[in-house]
Structure formats: structure tokens, C-alpha cells
Amino acid sequence: MKKIFSKRYTLRMMVVALIAMGTSVKAQSSFDVDLGADLVSGYVWRGVYQAGSGVSVQPSLRLSYGGVSLKAWSSTSLAEGFKELDLSLGYSVKGFSVGITDYWWAGQGAPFYSDYMNTHLFEAAVGYHFGEKFPLFLSWSTMFAGNLDKVDGERKYSSYVEVGYDFSVKSVDLTFAVGAAPWEAPAWLAPRWGGKGFQVSSVSLKASKEIRITSSYSLPIFAQAIASPAMDDAYLIFGISF
């Protein structure tokens, strides 16, 4: 049975989810606002270089109350015209997390509102982090709406599964992660690269540390080495966080 997701239906679904999740938040929880930005040498997502991105600024704004959060994240190229804006609604408790993301990466000049289902993708995700004593994390994400996930009118439910591990060496925080498409994923891994079966799209090691600037301020920096068997490519990304 074919399902049609309209803007109004999707908004209603997100509002209902927010209300439902909010009922489980303890009364003493506080409302928080977090903002920041990364300056990166390139933008690679799930092992795929985002064409036209280049050096980019990636700001974020997050509103949270207890375990419920609403986040806006963007990536804008400083020279090549690439633009992306993602909106996420999530809930986390202890190590468990669940969320819905609206991706828009159609680029500068593409319609954001008027052609919604052809320029946006919607994804549901679930994850679990085992904690500091055993810092292994697992996640599964699946596209469930948006025409960019369809091939010849058939939805493919493009998915991404990732497993990773956090650790430290001296003053450097490290994350090793492996991510794969369990089946054909045209929404983010084009068929000419990903084929129709299981594909490992990202094997990465990210290193983060803080560079002390003054006695009261340190500048966070990071580097990430990424190998992509599905793309037959590799990348080394550098970034500064503010």
C-alpha cells in the first residue's frame, strides 16, 4: 500500500511525538539552549563527499528539555555554493536515543517549501551507547519519506547502520567507526556506487583535542581519516570547533 507524506502530516507527526516524549521528562528538568559551529576543510557524510562543499561552515542550534531536543544543523560552502539544512527532533534517556530528521541538501537556489517531497528526505534513527565503562555505540537509520529515496516510483528505505568505539590516548579523544548500507540506498549512496547489496561506505578514525590559547580558553580541533570502500575513495578532514 502506497503512503503519501504531506508537509502538514509530517509536522503533525513531529508535534505529536514531541508532546508524547515530553510527558516522560521529569519535572525538575531544565530548558537548555546550545549553539556552536565547525569550520571544516571538506564535508564527507557516511563516506560520501558532498560535491560542491569544499571548505564549509557548519553551525548548529539545539533546544532541549530533559531528554527531548529540537536541533537545526547546516553546512554552507564558503566558495562552491553547496548548502544543506537539517532539522531533527529527538529523545534520549540513559544510553538510548531515537529521532526523526528532515534533510534538505538540494542546494542554493532550490525550493525549500514549494517542492517539499522532491527536495527533502525524512529519516528515522535509533541508537544506543553502552556508557563510559564500555564506550561502544550502535545506530540504525532509515529513510521513510521523500522522493529522492525512490527508484522508478518504488521506495527503497535507504538505510545506514554504524558501530563505533570511543577511547583516548593521552590528551587526544578518538572515535573509531564503521558504517554500511545493508541494502540499496539511492537516497545517499547512488546506485552507480552502491549497487543493490550490502556496502561498507565508511571506515573512520576521528581524533579531537583542545589547543590551549589562554589560561581560560582552549580551541577544540579535530581531524578525521575516512576510507570508503563503496566509493573507492579516501579522505582526511580537518576542523575547528567554536
Side-chain angles (χ1 to χ4, degrees):
M1 181 179 178
K2 211 176 270 186
K3 295 183 179 179
I4 300 175
F5 289 83
S6 67
K7 290 189 289 183
R8 183 176 300 173
Y9 177 82
T10 303
L11 179 60
R12 185 184 304 125
M13 180 173 62
M14 294 177 71
V15 171
V16 169
L18 179 60
I19 294 172
M21 291 186 295
T23 59
S24 65
V25 179
K26 295 181 179 180
Q28 65 267 30
S29 297
S30 61
F31 179 78
D32 293 312
V33 179
D34 296 310
L35 67 158
D38 293 334
L39 177 64
V40 296
S41 60
Y43 177 24
V44 177
W45 186 64
R46 297 180 178 177
V48 180
Y49 177 76
Q50 304 303 295
S53 60
V55 177
S56 302
V57 177
Q58 298 178 336
S60 64
L61 174 63
R62 181 175 178 267
L63 311 177
S64 61
Y65 183 80
V68 181
S69 64
L70 182 62
K71 181 179 179 180
W73 182 93
S74 176
S75 184
T76 302
S77 170
L78 294 182
E80 300 183 41
F82 179 91
K83 185 171 73 173
E84 176 180 344
L85 175 60
D86 305 332
L87 304 175
S88 302
L89 176 67
Y91 175 69
S92 61
V93 56
K94 296 182 179 180
F96 175 78
S97 62
V98 62
I100 296 174
T101 299
D102 172 359
Y103 294 102
W104 179 77
W105 60 64
Q108 183 68 38
F112 185 87
Y113 302 104
S114 60
D115 196 19
Y116 216 82
M117 299 312 292
N118 286 322
T119 61
H120 289 248
L121 279 165
F122 296 88
E123 182 180 77
V126 61
Y128 188 78
H129 195 293
F130 288 84
E132 293 184 3
K133 292 184 178 180
F134 182 53
L136 180 75
F137 61 87
L138 307 167
S139 66
W140 182 291
S141 307
T142 295
M143 303 286 185
F144 65 89
N147 292 335
L148 297 175
D149 181 50
K150 294 181 178 180
V151 176
D152 298 326
E154 179 185 356
R155 184 164 305 286
K156 297 300 182 178
Y157 296 99
S158 300
S159 297
Y160 182 73
V161 58
E162 185 177 56
V163 56
Y165 191 83
D166 300 317
F167 60 104
S168 297
V169 176
K170 296 184 177 179
S171 61
V172 180
D173 295 325
L174 298 162
T175 298
F176 176 75
V178 178
W183 50 73
E184 182 182 7
W188 61 272
L189 189 61
R192 67 179 182 274
W193 301 314
K196 294 187 177 181
F198 177 89
Q199 287 284 311
V200 176
S201 66
S202 179
V203 180
S204 68
L205 178 65
K206 182 177 181 180
S208 306
K209 69 174 299 181
E210 293 189 353
I211 304 297
R212 184 171 294 279
I213 305 298
T214 69
S215 59
S216 60
Y217 176 73
S218 296
L219 181 67
I221 64 171
F222 62 88
Q224 186 173 24
I226 306 166
S228 179
M231 299 293 295
D232 193 18
D233 209 342
Y235 323 89
L236 182 60
I237 304 298
F238 174 76
I240 302 173
S241 299
F242 300 95

